[in-house]
Every structure is written in C-alpha cells, then in structure tokens.
Amino acid sequence: MASSGAQSDPSPETILVTGGAGYIGAHVTAALAASGRSVVVLDDLSTGTADRVPDGVTLIEGDVGDAAVVGAALHDHGVTAVIHIAAKKQVGESVARPLWYYRQNVTAMATLLEGCVDAGVGRFLFSSSAATYGMGSGGVIEEDDPPRPINPYGESKLIGEWLLADVARATGLRYAALRYFNVAGAVSPELGDPGVFNLVPMVFDALTRGERPRIFGADWPTPDGTCVRDYVHVADLADAHIRALDALQATGGEVTPEADAAETVDGLVLNVGTGQGSSVQEVIDAVGRVLGHPVDVEVVERRPGDPAALVASVDRITDVLGWSTSRNLDDMVSSAWEGWLALHPEAASLAE
Ligand code: UDP
C-alpha cells in the first residue's frame, strides 16, 4: 500500500508530458496543471493541437525520438518526472506499417529514456495498453496474466514496458506502466477525442453521416452476443496518473505490491479500468439515452482480432493507489457527445 511520506518535497518539480497536446495527454496535462504542478508538453502536433495545451504550460513542438530535442527539453526545464503518452495507437495501421510503429513507439521511447537517464529524471509514467494482453482469457484480466499481444501496436507497448523495467533495474528509475483499457469521454467539449477510431466516436460518426452504427458481430459468447470491454472515463484516467506520480514520489521505490516486490522493486504495472464490462450494445444503448431516442444498428461480420471480452481487474490499482473511478458509462457517452458536437455542430439535430 502506498503511504504518504512525512518529508516534504525539497524542490519544486517539473513534469514533462509527451503527447500532452493529444486527447488523453491534454487531459493529463490539465489535471497536473490544476494540481499546481509545473508542466512542460513535448508534442509533434501530428494528431494533437496546440489549443489543447492550457495557459501557463510550455509547449515544445518536437519529436520524442529526437535526442537533441529531448535533451534540451529535460535540461532546460529541470524536469524531474516524465509522463510518456506520445505514441501511435491504431491497431490496423500497426499491422500495415509494423516497422513504423516500432520506430514511433519503441525506438523513440528508448531515446526518451536515454535522455531521462542522462538528465537524472527520477520517475517515469508510461501509457501502456490492455492491447498487451491480446485475446485475454475471456474475462477479468490481472496484471500478472501472461501478456500475449496479437498486433504490432500491442507488441510495441509490451516492449515499452520491458525497456522501462530494464532501465529501472540498471539505474534506479522508478516507474509505473499504466495499462489503459477503453478510454472515452471528455472533461470539457474542447478536450473531446478528435479521432474516429474507437466505438463511441465511430457510433457518432455513423449517425452524423445518416448511417446506422455497425456492430462487429452479435454472436460472441457474451450475455447479449456483442463484445464486452471495460470503458474508463478519461478524467478518471487522468486522476490515476496524478496518483501514480504521487505514489512513486512518496514511497521512494517501495510501491510494488508485496507479491511482486522480489521481481520488480522499482516499478509497477497497473490496469486502468473500472472492473466492469459493458457490451457494444450497452454502449449504443447509452448513446440512445443521450440522444433521447433508440439507435438503430446494423450487425456486420466480426472484426478479426477482437477478443470477446476484456475487462480489467482493478484490485492492484485500488490497493496501491487508492484509486477508483467515479464516472459511469452515461457520463462518458454524454461528455463525448458534447465533444463531438463541438467539432461537428451539424450533428446537433440528432439529439431530441
Ligand atoms: N466496435 C463495433 N463497431 C464499431 C467500432 C467498434 O462493434 O464501429 C466494437 C469492437 O469490435 C470492440 C468494441 O467495439 O468489440 C471496442 O472497440 P474499439 O475499437 O473502440 O476498442 P478495442 O477494444 O478494439 O481497443
């Protein structure tokens, strides 16, 4: 169990957030800034936008894989902790362009870690993914279940965890790898997800185009036949980052659960989900509640590579960080809808 130390932080800390201008990164950056911390964002603006970075936070436009950019960012700002969110995250694209994914997600991370070691950065949070589990076991997944990624995206995230564990062992870097499950929602419309790569925005997109949302298979071995996932609100996810950072600081490396302590004294791997599964149909029902009318769907073929069910065990993150979620599926879908409307005002007529 993480405990808060009696000693106070002797020097002000500065946190570098890579990818801080993107959907998840901007939420984490906003939460850090709101907690009074000094934050610097490093983002190449390939998918993020400068207007997502809050006032008072320095934005460095540059590549995480560029050693000179990383070195300058860390040294010039006296960075004490890094939250590494910048990455490519589309599964299909990773299958089509594996080497590019390895360069973006693995090689660049090695460069960032080299810079961190050189600059004496003490703590590192890494955005990992439930994609490291691959097909899972068909139900609730624990962090110690065997990781068996089934695409280059998931593989690149698992390798990222290995890089961290090895660097931590060699240098004493303290780290947490946060395995995100299905992230949705927004704290404000301006911070909504601009991408159309996940279920909730894909449903909104289909409806906006006057089409029926598609369900990829309704014959799965699940209660209603559609796939089950663990959807977590991005604001709860951002809060998990703050708690993880505090836990690494407060405990001086003693953040691992007892069972793992012998293996990984400097690091922590945590699922970030709710522990509750929702089916695709249940998500679409939530969209119907937000719009004020039922949503007509089209059931199509199963999508290759989809597991039937992937739900996080949240025992470890609850124990170690004292974290739990406070927002439900309707909060996610309604806030995602406000974000969608901010980018697609023409969709307003879809809601009654
Ligand atoms: N899904 C769907 N229709 C869509 C988009 C997604 O039925 O238009 C399903 C997909 O098969 C999966 C779930 O929604 O079961 C979540 O998919 P997403 O791509 O958002 O996340 P994943 O769990 O694949 O990372």
Side-chain angles (χ1 to χ4, degrees):
M1 181 91 183
S3 61
S4 54
Q7 82 278 22
S8 59
D9 189 10
S11 58
E13 63 171 351
T14 298
I15 296 146
L16 179 76
V17 182
T18 74
Y23 165 54
I24 293 173
H27 279 91
V28 172
T29 299
L32 288 166
S35 73
R37 287 160 225 240
S38 164
V39 190
V40 177
V41 164
L42 173 59
D43 198 300
D44 66 3
L45 301 184
S46 57
T47 55
T49 52
D51 58 7
R52 288 174 176 257
V53 177
D55 290 343
V57 170
T58 304
L59 169 64
I60 302 165
E61 188 178 344
D63 184 352
V64 177
D66 183 330
V69 168
V70 166
L74 296 175
H75 284 104
D76 293 354
H77 297 276
V79 169
T80 49
V82 168
I83 303 183
H84 179 40
I85 299 174
K88 297 296 168 198
K89 61 173 186 179
Q90 291 176 49
V91 168
E93 188 180 52
S94 81
V95 174
R97 302 183 67 190
L99 294 174
W100 191 62
Y101 264 67
Y102 283 117
R103 176 144 25 92
Q104 297 288 318
N105 290 359
V106 178
T107 312
M109 183 167 168
T111 301
L112 176 64
L113 281 169
E114 272 181 323
C116 288
V117 172
D118 183 59
V121 169
R123 288 169 296 150
F124 195 104
L125 294 192
F126 172 50
S127 300
S128 189
S129 169
T132 53
Y133 294 114
M135 300 301 276
S137 54
V140 172
I141 305 222
E142 295 181 358
E143 289 86 347
D144 292 336
D145 287 351
R148 291 201 185 102
I150 55 164
N151 51 59
Y153 168 67
E155 286 161 352
S156 74
K157 288 292 174 183
L158 184 59
I159 296 170
E161 292 188 5
W162 293 341
L163 291 182
L164 261 183
D166 289 341
V167 171
R169 214 169 285 126
T171 69
L173 179 72
R174 282 174 277 143
Y175 76 92
L178 303 180
R179 290 182 175 164
Y180 303 170
F181 279 66
N182 292 62
V183 184
V187 288
S188 59
E190 328 59 88
L191 292 188
D193 186 354
V196 188
F197 306 112
N198 296 111
L199 176 60
V200 174
M202 284 170 79
V203 169
F204 294 156
D205 182 53
L207 293 171
T208 304
R209 287 186 288 103
E211 295 174 5
R212 285 183 294 165
R214 294 185 308 157
I215 293 182
F216 298 145
D219 57 351
W220 296 91
T222 60
D224 68 14
T226 67
C227 285
V228 169
R229 295 288 182 276
D230 188 337
Y231 296 87
V232 57
H233 196 296
V234 67
D236 286 324
L237 176 74
D239 177 49
H241 289 74
I242 307 262
R243 284 174 184 260
L245 204 58
D246 285 348
L248 292 179
Q249 181 165 38
T251 59
E254 298 291 324
V255 294
T256 37
E258 307 246 323
D260 288 345
E263 270 183 82
T264 53
V265 288
D266 298 312
L268 188 62
V269 176
L270 297 172
N271 287 341
V272 192
T274 65
Q276 300 293 323
S278 301
S279 73
V280 176
Q281 185 61 61
E282 286 170 334
V283 172
I284 292 174
D285 291 345
V287 173
R289 286 193 289 278
V290 168
L291 298 182
H293 56 81
V295 171
D296 202 12
V297 298
E298 179 186 7
V299 176
V300 299
E301 288 293 290
R302 290 182 178 192
R303 187 172 67 174
D306 265 342
L310 211 51
V311 177
S313 161
V314 292
D315 291 351
R316 185 183 287 180
I317 191 166
T318 306
D319 282 356
V320 176
L321 300 187
W323 175 87
S324 62
T325 53
S326 61
R327 295 152 183 98
N328 63 24
L329 187 60
D330 282 14
D331 297 328
M332 288 177 231
V333 172
S334 59
S335 62
W337 175 245
E338 296 301 324
W340 181 264
L341 283 181
L343 291 169
H344 306 273
E346 72 280 12
S349 60
L350 289 169
E352 281 173 357

